[in-house]
Amino acid sequence: MASAIPSSPVDRAPEHTQSTERGPAPGGPPAAGSSTEPRKARRSKHRNNRVAYAFLAPWFIGIFGFTLIPMGYSLYLSLTKFDLLTSPKWIGLANYKALWQDPQFLKSVTVTLEYVLFSVPLKLALALVVAVALNKGLGALGFYRSVFYLPSLLGTSVAVSVMWRQIFSQQGLFNQFLSWFGIRGADWIGDPRFALWTLILLSAWQFGTPMLIFLAGLKQLPRDLYEAAALDGAGRFRTFFQITLPLLSPMVFFNLVLETINAFQAFTPAYVVSGGSGGPINSTLFYTLYLYQKGFGSLQMGYASAMAWVLFLVIGVFTAIYFAMSRRFVTYAN
Amino acid sequence: MALLPQSGQQRTWNHWRLHTILLTAVIVMIYPLIWMVGASFKPENQIFTTLNPLPLHFTLRGYTSGWTSTGTSFTVYLANSATVAIGAVLGNLIACSLAAYAFARLDFAFRKLWFALMLGTLMLPFQATLIPQYTIFFKLNWVNTFLPLVVPQFLATDAFFIFLMVQFIRGIPRELDEAAAIDGAGHLRTFVSVILPLLRPALITTAVLTFIWTFNDFLRQLVYLSNNTRYTVPLGLNAFIDRASGSSYGDMLAMSVVSLVPTMAVFLLAQKRLVDGVANSGIKG
């Protein structure tokens, strides 16, 4: 799993580190300080074992007690029928088989994939456009950064989901706005054709985080390339697609991985907007919402564990695909 | 990015145009929030009649009646949320900084393996451990207490913050540690009196983000807290939706505004640090 870490912008030098490396290649080992380690420390082998393990004691309890062992337990539970109150009953792969015959499960997979496929590119496109605009060296940058970031910060709260529900309800803000132009809006939340799109829009509205990351990346692009391009008479679009975008590709990649994982795990908006039901004809039955309903609504813990493992594998596969793609599309400067 | 040397006049003109576009975008983005705040001061029958966010007939009714209308006072929800959030902040500060010091500064057996494992958990969807963790806490009889929401933080389960701090500590010159060692300081002493003070910016980012994320977290609180008097703010707010029967929109919006106040306050206090921190480290919203 460690190889699945995208090269994070952290690696590419916050102001306080004077790192000369431009972030490790994706999939490469996350340089554990090995290069910067003074030779002195290497002379005696692991002389700090006891101290280090003392410092790491809480982490060890956490990683084993609350992460690794529970994951193993969850794999076991996924092979059982378990209602929390009586002890788990072994049923082999029956839960996994049942998943593929459960129309609601299949619906939740479709809904989630649709959500990921549309919300992530939309969000990243907005983030990129605004970041490029903010990078033009105009004043009030701090103001814009903060205001555009604000929805990202508040976005996962129940309050914002409540607000969204009001905006896109039949008599809501959005329809009033449309009525200025003589358009009679639909019941966006109540109509299965549109319900998911209101949530995609809610996600796109929160483009602030990837925007900040793009902005940090844009600041590091070498100026001389742009001067050369200008001398060659390259237009604005050519410059963007042939210089900016390739140079920014590590950031695009990082944001893509991060936002995809986040989108797969979305829960609050779907729960709040649909009142926990999954919306009209299950049109907003997100994967995690269905998992919640199964696990904590009807206490089918074994079934829900199987779902959790499928999600885990799917996210793993997506990440692997991204990394395979990144070898072709991500370019690193230097 | 100025492609060609532009005349000062042209540049000013371009900037004005860009400012206009950006300000329009700002208004579109922020309008819903402003509308919500305004609507929370409107009488019930005027909430949906106009797009004008300013309340023509100012009233506090939404706040006074909303504060208690779920049967439990909103004060209780706020206090519960504060308990959980502060507990989580303390846990992350202590446990993550300890682990980060070990990973960044100490040499020990299997360090690379453990570090890789720590990074691996960054990508782990937390649903993968939701059900087994719940079973554990259920067996410990901790369900319906705040412990499942706080104890994991004291065990450094938020790997993201360890990573953030490791990166930061690597930027602190080793000479400082070595000087302390020459003065006879042990690792605990070095950690407390050399590293921790210098780590302050990363600690503040951690505290702010942990506070906001915990305050906004919904799923875990929904799963673990089932008693009305233990409800946190998101759960209290959710209780409104269950009973919102068309007549209490004012209450619901007013309490939504209240629930955003702590997050907004922290945001305003830590604005610059937070925005820079996100830009430099890349984190989810």
Side-chain angles (χ1 to χ4, degrees):
Chain A
M1 208 54 206
S3 62
I5 298 299
S7 79
S8 123
V10 180
D11 286 317
R12 44 188 47 247
E15 293 91 10
H16 51 267
T17 52
Q18 24 95 327
S19 87
T20 45
E21 57 194 354
R22 295 276 292 178
S34 45
S35 55
T36 53
E37 227 165 296
R39 264 163 222 124
K40 224 191 287 173
R42 280 195 201 144
R43 211 179 291 150
S44 67
K45 208 165 170 21
H46 310 313
R47 61 174 169 187
N48 288 318
N49 265 338
R50 224 183 295 163
V51 186
Y53 281 86
F55 272 84
L56 282 171
W59 179 77
F60 274 113
I61 301 174
I63 189 108
F64 285 103
F66 288 94
T67 309
L68 294 179
I69 295 171
M71 279 184 69
Y73 186 50
S74 146
L75 188 61
Y76 161 72
L77 284 182
S78 76
L79 303 169
T80 67
K81 194 175 155 64
F82 180 44
D83 63 1
L84 198 66
L85 304 167
T86 52
S87 52
K89 221 184 295 154
W90 182 266
I91 53 168
L93 289 172
N95 282 328
Y96 291 94
K97 276 184 202 143
L99 283 179
W100 306 110
Q101 281 142 27
D102 176 353
Q104 268 188 293
F105 169 79
L106 297 174
K107 178 74 186 175
S108 77
V109 171
T110 321
V111 167
T112 309
L113 284 178
E114 206 177 322
Y115 177 74
V116 172
L117 251 43
F118 287 104
S119 77
V120 174
L122 194 61
K123 192 177 193 173
L124 293 193
L126 274 173
L128 190 56
V129 168
V130 176
V132 168
L134 287 184
N135 196 42
K136 303 254 178 192
L138 72 180
L141 180 67
F143 166 76
Y144 286 124
R145 285 202 314 176
S146 294
V147 178
F148 283 123
Y149 176 59
L150 192 60
S152 286
L153 196 69
L154 305 176
T156 54
S157 67
V158 170
V160 163
S161 293
V162 166
M163 179 187 86
W164 216 252
R165 215 166 102 131
Q166 302 313 318
I167 294 175
F168 288 100
S169 67
Q170 184 94 59
Q171 24 153 231
L173 222 52
F174 186 61
N175 281 349
Q176 285 178 44
F177 175 71
L178 288 181
S179 70
W180 285 359
F181 306 96
I183 301 169
R184 232 183 89 103
D187 177 9
W188 306 102
I189 301 266
D191 189 327
R193 283 173 301 167
F194 305 120
L196 182 59
W197 280 94
T198 63
L199 297 185
I200 290 172
L201 206 61
L202 174 56
S203 162
W205 182 63
Q206 299 162 31
F207 65 78
T209 307
M211 177 207 71
L212 289 179
I213 295 169
F214 280 137
L215 205 52
L218 284 168
K219 272 193 200 148
Q220 296 183 350
L221 299 190
R223 281 196 74 89
D224 46 347
L225 276 177
Y226 287 94
E227 278 152 24
L231 284 177
D232 287 348
R236 204 183 287 180
F237 282 95
R238 240 189 107 188
T239 314
F240 177 77
F241 283 106
Q242 302 207 330
I243 299 182
T244 310
L245 205 53
L247 283 176
L248 214 57
S249 57
M251 298 290 181
V252 176
F253 175 66
F254 176 81
N255 277 331
L256 191 64
V257 174
L258 215 67
E259 294 298 335
T260 303
I261 292 176
N262 283 345
F264 266 115
Q265 301 184 61
F267 176 80
T268 312
Y271 183 95
V272 173
V273 169
S274 72
S277 71
I281 335 183
N282 290 328
S283 56
T284 58
L285 185 67
F286 281 16
Y287 195 90
T288 47
L289 181 54
Y290 190 51
L291 192 153
Y292 170 81
Q293 288 180 354
K294 279 291 169 189
F296 301 94
S298 51
L299 286 185
Q300 291 174 262
M301 292 284 181
Y303 196 81
S305 295
M307 281 189 71
W309 266 89
V310 170
L311 177 70
F312 182 48
L313 293 177
V314 167
I315 289 182
V317 168
F318 256 79
T319 317
I321 293 173
Y322 280 160
F323 275 95
M325 277 181 2
S326 79
R327 285 207 192 103
R328 294 190 55 181
F329 298 113
V330 176
T331 41
Y332 288 93
N334 290 12
Chain B
M1 260 148 278
L3 293 181
L4 290 168
Q6 293 170 314
S7 71
Q9 219 175 8
Q10 194 187 352
R11 169 166 271 195
T12 319
W13 167 239
N14 277 344
H15 277 187
W16 271 110
R17 215 172 44 178
L18 198 54
H19 273 303
T20 315
I21 296 170
L22 285 170
L23 276 174
T24 315
V26 161
I27 293 167
V28 171
M29 288 204 49
I30 298 303
Y31 184 80
L33 290 168
I34 296 171
W35 174 83
M36 180 165 74
V37 175
S40 70
F41 294 109
K42 289 176 188 170
E44 194 73 38
N45 61 2
Q46 286 175 19
I47 289 176
F48 288 114
T49 53
T50 166
L51 283 172
N52 179 7
L54 289 178
L56 294 175
H57 303 278
F58 184 89
T59 172
L60 285 173
R61 215 200 63 96
Y63 289 86
T64 49
S65 83
W67 204 269
T68 50
S69 67
T70 55
T72 310
S73 160
F74 224 80
T75 317
V76 174
Y77 303 146
L78 282 167
N80 289 342
S81 270
T83 311
V84 171
I86 290 168
V89 167
L90 281 180
N92 271 347
L93 286 180
I94 297 168
C96 295
S97 63
L98 283 171
Y101 179 79
F103 281 128
R105 282 295 203 255
L106 299 176
D107 181 35
F108 54 97
F110 307 115
R111 178 168 84 164
K112 283 197 174 155
L113 174 75
W114 298 131
F115 191 74
L117 194 63
M118 191 274 289
L119 288 181
T121 58
L122 274 177
M123 310 275 288
L124 196 68
F126 92 98
Q127 287 84 359
T129 53
L130 181 68
I131 287 165
Q133 278 192 10
Y134 183 84
T135 350
I136 294 171
F137 289 126
F138 182 81
K139 288 194 175 132
L140 288 171
N141 238 335
W142 284 4
V143 170
N144 221 358
T145 72
F146 300 138
L147 292 173
L149 303 169
V150 172
V151 170
Q153 265 64 41
F154 278 89
L155 299 172
T157 48
D158 266 343
F160 172 75
F161 294 114
I162 305 182
F163 184 54
L164 186 83
M165 292 183 201
V166 166
Q167 294 297 122
F168 198 95
I169 294 176
R170 281 184 192 162
I172 299 174
R174 273 193 185 256
E175 286 76 24
L176 294 176
D177 303 28
E178 281 157 16
I182 290 167
D183 287 348
H187 282 291
L188 189 60
R189 185 80 191 278
T190 310
F191 170 69
V192 172
S193 36
V194 178
I195 298 293
L196 274 190
L198 292 170
L199 193 60
R200 213 166 79 181
L203 294 176
I204 294 175
T205 304
T206 300
V208 168
L209 284 174
T210 306
F211 182 86
I212 292 174
W213 290 350
T214 312
F215 207 88
N216 285 340
D217 174 42
F218 180 56
L219 178 52
R220 290 204 318 147
Q221 295 171 14
L222 182 68
V223 163
Y224 285 114
L225 306 174
S226 54
N227 186 332
N228 213 5
T229 57
R230 291 280 161 78
Y231 273 9
T232 51
V233 170
L235 296 180
L237 206 50
N238 185 47
F240 271 98
I241 306 166
D242 288 344
R243 64 180 59 214
S245 50
S247 60
S248 55
Y249 283 122
D251 293 9
M252 193 160 82
L253 289 174
M255 291 306 106
S256 297
V257 172
V258 169
S259 80
L260 291 179
V261 167
T263 314
M264 280 301 294
V266 171
F267 174 65
L268 291 176
L269 275 176
Q271 208 173 11
K272 190 166 176 349
R273 169 140 294 142
L274 188 64
V275 170
D276 286 343
V278 173
N280 287 327
S281 58
I283 26 190
K284 56 186 176 186

